[in-house]
């Protein structure tokens, strides 16, 4: 499968899983994964899942993706950039930007090596 097809399939799977049951995201992370969420850095599957499940205090979330870009990396990974809006519970929609680097493990499965998430909020 071409890098752009892998990137698109990953993106679809990630956001569908996030909305349906964040607990299932555990399969996409490992102990070396590094996540920066709104400037708060964490590393490892356990720390990331604790943040995803306990730290994010909304019940329902919907992502509307407006742009996705995929780039192959020289080491075989794929760089993914996503922009869109998210709506959590009864809050108004907020713009967001998210970046992933995904890599293959020895079995050929893709996992998140690096991830950065930011809300796009402009304070005047």
């Amino acid at each position: 499968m071409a890098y752009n097809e892998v990137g698109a399939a990953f993106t679809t799977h990630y956001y569908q899983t996030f909305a349906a049951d964040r607990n299932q995201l555990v399969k996409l992370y490992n102990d070396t994964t590094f996540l920066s969420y709104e400037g708060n850095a964490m590393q490892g599957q356990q720390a990331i899942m604790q943040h995803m499940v306990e730290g994010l205090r909304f019940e329902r979330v919907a992502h509307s993706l407006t742009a996705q870009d995929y780039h192959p990396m020289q080491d075989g990974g794929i760089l993914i950039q996503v922009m869109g809006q998210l709506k959590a519970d009864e809050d108004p929609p907020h713009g967001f930007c998210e970046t992933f680097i995904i890599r293959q493990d020895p079995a050929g499965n893709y996992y998140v090596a690096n991830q950065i998430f930011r809300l796009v909020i402009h304070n005047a």
Side-chain angles (χ1 to χ4, degrees):
M1 198 178 321
Y3 71 89
N4 56 334
E5 294 171 317
V6 172
F10 170 83
T11 302
T12 298
H13 174 71
Y14 180 85
Y15 290 107
Q16 285 178 349
T17 303
F18 194 105
D21 182 3
R22 288 191 301 266
N23 288 294
Q24 297 304 310
L25 293 173
V26 68
K27 301 169 189 171
L28 297 177
Y29 300 108
N30 65 30
D31 290 337
T32 62
T33 302
F34 197 88
L35 167 67
S36 176
Y37 189 92
E38 286 292 305
N40 297 312
M42 59 207 78
Q43 184 172 15
Q45 186 183 60
Q46 184 178 357
I48 292 169
M49 289 310 299
Q50 183 175 5
H51 169 75
M52 292 289 189
V53 175
E54 298 171 17
L56 301 178
R57 300 198 174 161
F58 46 79
E59 295 293 320
R60 295 176 319 280
V61 65
H63 295 88
S64 175
L65 308 183
T66 54
Q68 302 169 58
D69 296 294
Y70 317 105
H71 287 249
M73 297 175 60
Q74 292 177 349
D75 64 1
I78 301 171
L79 173 65
I80 301 170
Q81 176 71 56
V82 179
M83 292 177 58
Q85 287 192 325
L86 66 83
K87 180 161 179 21
D89 294 332
E90 302 306 317
D91 290 345
H94 294 287
F96 77 95
C97 182
E98 193 154 25
T99 304
F100 300 90
I101 294 176
I102 60 172
R103 300 190 189 289
Q104 283 185 295
D105 64 19
N109 300 310
Y110 282 93
Y111 69 94
V112 177
N114 300 82
Q115 181 177 353
I116 301 170
F117 174 89
R118 283 281 184 179
L119 289 173
V120 180
I121 300 174
H122 301 281
N123 295 324

